[in-house]
Amino acid sequence: MSGAGKKIADVTFKASKNIDWDGMAKLLVSDEARKEFANLRRAFDEVNHDLQTKFSQEPEPIDWDYYRKGIGTKLVDMYKEAYDSIEIPKYVDKVTPEYKPKFDSLLVELKEAEQKSLKESERLEKEIADVQELKKKLSTMTADEYFEKHPELRKKFDDEIRNDYWGY
């Protein structure tokens, strides 16, 4: 097998190990999405299986002596010479060096966005907990207890009372 084909087979095998199929399946909501996801997974597994079985094997070496006996030395030698002269060009990756810096910068942006998202998520979780706590205590809470948690509202109300502004 050529080096490039074997490399592709190795990369797909490693990639398939890192895919969290079950985690992704849990995110799906509709039955149609689940059906399409199952089709995607089946197709991926088939392609991955083909890459692992067909393209990861080295071709069997040609038994030139066998053909010399049946066909003749001169013709087989001519084919052998032609076969040996075939030069398969080695794949030179020109795309990865061009896009790797862009990809790396996107990864950095992704990590920053992830951190911001986690901080915002923590803030929102705390706010939800505060609102739920307030909801539980609201029926028995006094104005003084509420103003202890929200001093800016106390100041606003005191200013309105001081300025004789009663909301009408």
Side-chain angles (χ1 to χ4, degrees), residues 145-161:
E145 290 174 339
Y146 185 80
F147 287 143
E148 281 179 22
K149 290 189 175 200
H150 304 284
E152 69 281 354
L153 286 178
R154 176 186 290 270
K155 184 179 181 319
K156 178 183 172 194
F157 287 135
D158 287 346
D159 288 345
E160 287 178 0
I161 292 170

Side-chain angles (χ1 to χ4, degrees), residues 1-123:
M1 172 182 213
S2 68
K6 185 160 180 61
K7 185 175 181 181
I8 290 170
D10 291 342
V11 168
T12 55
F13 179 72
K14 289 176 186 173
S16 68
K17 294 295 182 189
N18 294 331
I19 296 175
D20 183 13
W21 293 104
D22 295 329
M24 286 191 288
K26 290 177 185 174
L27 299 174
L28 302 174
V29 180
S30 69
D31 289 335
E32 185 178 336
R34 287 186 190 99
K35 182 180 174 184
E36 289 298 320
F37 185 73
N39 289 339
L40 173 68
R41 186 171 184 181
R42 190 176 316 106
F44 180 86
D45 289 341
E46 287 173 8
V47 169
N48 194 32
H49 179 264
D50 288 347
L51 285 171
Q52 291 303 312
T53 55
K54 293 179 184 175
F55 297 110
S56 65
Q57 300 172 356
E58 292 291 327
E60 292 183 23
I62 298 173
D63 184 6
W64 297 107
D65 291 331
Y66 171 79
Y67 292 106
R68 280 190 185 98
K69 291 177 190 170
I71 298 174
T73 305
K74 193 170 187 177
L75 185 61
V76 173
D77 287 341
M78 186 174 73
Y79 273 100
K80 183 177 184 327
E81 185 180 324
Y83 180 80
D84 290 340
S85 69
I86 295 174
E87 208 171 288
I88 299 172
K90 195 155 186 128
Y91 173 72
V92 178
D93 186 5
K94 296 177 184 174
V95 176
T96 301
E98 180 181 335
Y99 287 100
K100 181 126 175 74
K102 292 177 186 177
F103 182 75
D104 290 342
S105 68
L106 286 174
L107 279 178
V108 169
E109 287 180 34
L110 174 72
K111 292 293 183 187
E112 291 171 359
E114 179 185 27
Q115 291 303 318
K116 285 181 184 177
S117 174
L118 289 173
K119 287 179 184 176
E120 182 66 11
S121 179
E122 284 179 25
R123 186 189 70 76

